[in-house]
Amino acid sequence: MLARLGHRLLAGLAVVLGVVTLTFLLLHAAPGDPVDIMLGPTATAEQLAAQRRALGLDQPLPRQFATWVGRSARGDWGTSIATGRPVAAMLGNAWPATARLVVLSLILSYLIGLAVGALQAARSGSRLDTLLSVVSVTLFGIPGYWLGLMLVLVFTYWARLLPAFGIAGLDSDYLQGTSLLVDRLRHLALPLVTLTLIGIGGAARFVRGAMLETLSQPFITTAWAKGLTARRVVGRHALRNALTPVVILLGLSLPALFSGAVFVETVFAWPGVGRVLVEAVKARDYPVVMAATAVSAVLVVAGNVLADVLAAWLDPRVRSGEAAQ
Amino acid sequence: MTRPWLLRDRRGAFGVLILIVFVACAIAAPLVTNGEPTVQRDIVATRFVPPLSRDVNGVFHPIGTDRFGRDVWTRLVYGARVSMGVGVLAVLVAVILGVVVGALAGYWRGPLSVALLALTDFALALPRVVLLLLLAALWQPSTLLVVAVLGLTGWMGIARLVHGEVRSLAARPFVEGAVAVGARRLRILARHILPNALTPVIVAAALGVGNAIVLEAGLSYLGLGVQAPTPSWGNMITSGSDTLVNAPWVAIAPGVALVLVVVACTLLGDALRDVLDPNVRG
């Protein structure tokens, strides 16, 4: 188990390094650099050259890369070229907002998706199953930012119930106790619902498939033959066994959720990592892009490793190395 | 042989129907619309005409007009050409790349195979949206770039599928027979193995088209995809989001079209999987 974990972590480290290298190459292969954007079209060639020298952008690429890797390994992420703020502080402020959104929607969408998928599999072929299938396929196909816009249209502009932008109201600094919490929750509502609804579609589809496969296996027939109630057969015998692929998908969907968050954060002006990344890419803000990419690569890898560990914990067959499939 | 089966599946029939309607509209765009998706006339007099009504010139607009007085229905249909075209082309690029990599890795054991598989696993672990952002934001945005970017970031799943299929097929008696009669390896791969390995690829491609359309729209939404005035569903949603309060139809219509097409692709993919491979139930 430990050797397996170590192996996965090493592979993960290689992926993160690869992502960072690729990002670096892409950034520098593209036309234009942050200094062009920073100094604007009126800057003279000398001014551009001086600024590039000051930022170390005139160094050979391998040296720039080595410098970046060396510094970030020591925890120094550098300073944002566009905003002049320390990159660590920018990401440090942004990641709790993203984590709150992504983790909550992951939990909610999987709880609801599990329930819906299990219900569908138990009533497979019924009208209810068809109806829920239509709903989950539709949710699965809706682009997050469009769903977000529609929710804003309905709940902000028409019903005037919920705020559409930001993480807190203008007056939130003066709020205390319950009213502060209410303000935060009201701002969280629309982005969270958007991400969760989309997640439910995928989760329910997958759970239904996994459950149907489990329900067709001999041990389920045995359970029925023993005269167990439907609740027990579906809930205890089938659901538990169908959980392994679901947990693996859960880990794998962490990066997908993060991707969704990039768009949803843009729609709702949510001050998270996704928005920092989008802004930084547009401004060619090298240090911020590098750091944000590294963070998201770590997230992806962590999701995969987490899924692996959870699957091993749930399923002894995976643990002992004889894969379930 | 598979077609009547596919249509007997209700999901498949629905998916095919929707796609036929959209493709027919897109092909016949000049006939079913006013044929001018980017023309702006008297902007102030003809903008924000609500759906199902006529503007000051007596021209009927089934889904109204946008803030430049352009007919939303016309832009929607011409946008279908762009969005669906981008989706299909991107998946085509992904399928070609995936089949080549998967087949090479599956049929030629050795260092090449190991290297290709490692490359696939690596590419699979990359955060796709981050990569899309980087690729699309760093170069001049264009429709062709979007196709390339979506194709280059979407081939890994298909490569894995093909790799698995090719490896298991290569051990079958009919392939050994082909080897025994002295057929060249490339011929065996192309004529005997690949045709048998394509079933899961077709399913993955059907699902992939929907996904690619959503991603294209997402990139266009961030301003990194298909550029205005060329209409794509993504940039139509973007421009509609600015006028969400006084002209919600501008953003609603392309979104509904997009969801319909993506759902149709997903249903078609599900139905195809069940029809082509009865062992898998979804």
Side-chain angles (χ1 to χ4, degrees):
Chain A
M1 184 65 208
L2 265 182
R4 188 189 166 86
L5 190 64
H7 185 78
R8 291 299 307 258
L9 284 177
L10 265 183
L13 190 70
V15 167
V16 173
L17 267 179
V19 170
V20 169
T21 315
L22 192 66
T23 309
F24 185 82
L25 290 176
L26 280 174
L27 275 173
H28 288 273
D33 75 359
V35 174
D36 288 328
I37 297 167
M38 193 177 165
L39 299 186
T42 54
T44 63
E46 291 84 50
Q47 287 172 324
L48 288 172
Q51 188 62 46
R52 288 204 179 101
R53 203 161 39 246
L55 290 170
L57 296 178
D58 57 339
Q59 303 279 333
L61 284 187
R63 178 178 294 174
Q64 285 189 44
F65 186 59
T67 313
W68 185 85
V69 172
R71 280 200 187 145
S72 42
R74 273 174 281 141
D76 175 14
W77 293 94
T79 314
S80 158
I81 297 177
T83 65
R85 295 179 55 207
V87 176
M90 283 174 77
L91 289 178
N93 287 339
W95 85 262
T98 299
R100 195 185 311 166
L101 199 60
V102 166
V103 169
L104 278 177
S105 78
L106 192 69
I107 294 171
L108 277 178
S109 58
Y110 269 85
L111 284 182
I112 301 173
L114 259 178
V116 171
L119 181 68
Q120 278 184 273
R123 304 266 157 81
S124 164
S126 68
R127 279 232 181 104
L128 183 71
D129 179 29
T130 313
L131 178 75
L132 288 175
S133 283
V134 170
V135 172
S136 62
V137 165
T138 310
L139 286 177
F140 186 64
I142 294 184
Y145 53 90
W146 185 73
L147 181 61
L149 278 179
M150 292 302 111
L151 292 176
V152 166
L153 181 65
V154 173
F155 289 99
T156 306
Y157 293 140
W158 289 349
R160 298 189 180 277
L161 277 176
L162 291 167
F165 300 107
I167 198 168
L170 288 174
D171 56 350
S172 73
D173 287 346
Y174 304 104
L175 297 175
Q176 279 174 346
T178 330
S179 48
L180 180 69
L181 186 69
V182 168
D183 179 64
R184 289 297 162 98
L185 287 178
R186 277 163 49 84
H187 280 85
L188 181 66
L190 286 183
L192 182 61
V193 167
T194 307
L195 265 185
T196 305
L197 279 177
I198 291 165
I200 290 175
R205 265 169 66 80
F206 192 80
V207 171
R208 179 178 179 273
M211 279 290 285
L212 280 180
E213 191 156 333
T214 310
L215 282 173
S216 70
Q217 286 183 12
F219 74 90
I220 294 293
T221 316
T222 309
W224 285 121
K226 286 197 299 189
L228 298 182
T229 58
R231 192 191 180 83
R232 228 179 142 73
V233 173
V234 173
R236 288 294 284 276
H237 291 240
L239 195 58
R240 250 195 109 118
N241 276 284
L243 225 60
T244 314
V246 173
V247 164
I248 293 177
L249 186 79
L250 194 126
L252 293 179
S253 60
L254 201 62
L257 255 175
F258 177 76
S259 309
V262 170
F263 293 113
V264 171
E265 282 176 8
T266 309
V267 172
F268 292 102
W270 189 261
V273 178
R275 219 162 60 107
V276 170
L277 181 68
V278 171
E279 305 281 314
V281 167
K282 283 182 176 168
R284 301 274 199 289
D285 199 340
Y286 292 165
V288 181
V289 175
M290 293 290 288
T293 321
V295 168
S296 65
V298 169
L299 251 177
V300 172
V301 169
N304 289 348
V305 174
L306 196 71
D308 214 42
V309 172
L310 276 174
W313 177 62
L314 275 173
D315 191 340
R317 282 170 301 181
V318 179
R319 211 178 309 158
S320 62
E322 39 175 315
Q325 285 152 358
Chain B
M1 189 189 85
T2 56
R3 192 152 301 150
W5 276 97
L6 184 62
L7 292 180
R8 219 172 290 167
D9 184 305
R10 266 191 305 168
R11 294 166 305 170
F14 179 78
V16 168
L17 182 74
I18 298 270
L19 289 178
I20 285 179
V21 169
F22 271 87
V23 170
C25 278
I27 291 173
L31 302 175
V32 295
T33 65
N34 67 20
E36 299 170 328
T38 56
V39 164
Q40 306 167 8
R41 290 211 179 74
D42 186 350
I43 294 176
V44 178
T46 56
R47 69 181 171 178
F48 300 139
V49 172
L52 295 174
S53 49
R54 291 172 188 284
D55 62 18
V56 285
N57 304 321
V59 182
F60 182 70
H61 298 287
I63 334 182
T65 62
D66 66 6
R67 62 174 150 168
F68 296 122
R70 298 175 297 198
D71 183 50
V72 174
W73 165 246
T74 305
R75 287 182 66 72
L76 193 68
V77 173
Y78 277 86
R81 285 184 168 184
V82 176
S83 290
M84 288 169 34
V86 166
V88 169
L89 282 180
V91 168
L92 206 62
V93 172
V95 164
I96 291 171
L97 269 175
V99 167
V100 169
V101 171
L104 288 180
Y107 200 48
W108 274 273
R109 302 285 183 80
L112 176 72
S113 166
V114 174
L116 286 175
L117 283 179
L119 178 73
T120 309
D121 278 348
F122 171 68
L124 211 54
L126 296 179
R128 189 177 185 191
V129 164
V130 173
L131 212 59
L132 285 176
L133 272 179
L134 280 175
L135 289 169
L138 295 179
W139 279 270
Q140 199 64 38
S142 75
T143 311
L144 212 63
L145 180 70
V146 175
V147 170
V149 163
L150 288 176
L152 286 177
T153 54
W155 56 271
M156 296 80 76
I158 291 176
R160 274 206 169 169
L161 280 174
V162 172
H163 170 254
E165 289 283 312
V166 167
R167 266 185 75 169
S168 82
L169 284 167
R172 298 274 181 86
F174 73 90
V175 173
E176 285 169 2
V179 175
V181 297
R184 280 178 301 117
R185 292 187 66 113
L186 205 61
R187 187 187 159 84
I188 295 175
L189 185 62
R191 295 292 293 277
H192 298 271
I193 295 182
L194 276 184
N196 286 301
L198 284 183
T199 305
V201 175
I202 295 169
V203 174
L207 297 171
V209 170
N211 197 6
I213 292 176
V214 170
L215 283 172
E216 180 278 317
L219 285 179
S220 295
Y221 178 73
L222 295 175
L224 307 171
V226 176
Q227 297 294 300
T230 307
S232 87
W233 291 340
N235 66 29
M236 286 178 73
I237 294 175
T238 315
S239 74
S241 70
D242 297 337
T243 57
L244 205 55
V245 183
N246 52 351
W249 56 87
V250 184
I252 292 176
V256 170
L258 206 155
V259 172
L260 275 175
V261 167
V262 174
V263 167
C265 287
T266 311
L267 290 177
L268 186 62
D270 283 356
L272 274 172
R273 185 186 51 201
D274 290 357
V275 168
L276 295 176
D277 185 1
N279 297 324
V280 184
R281 286 277 156 80

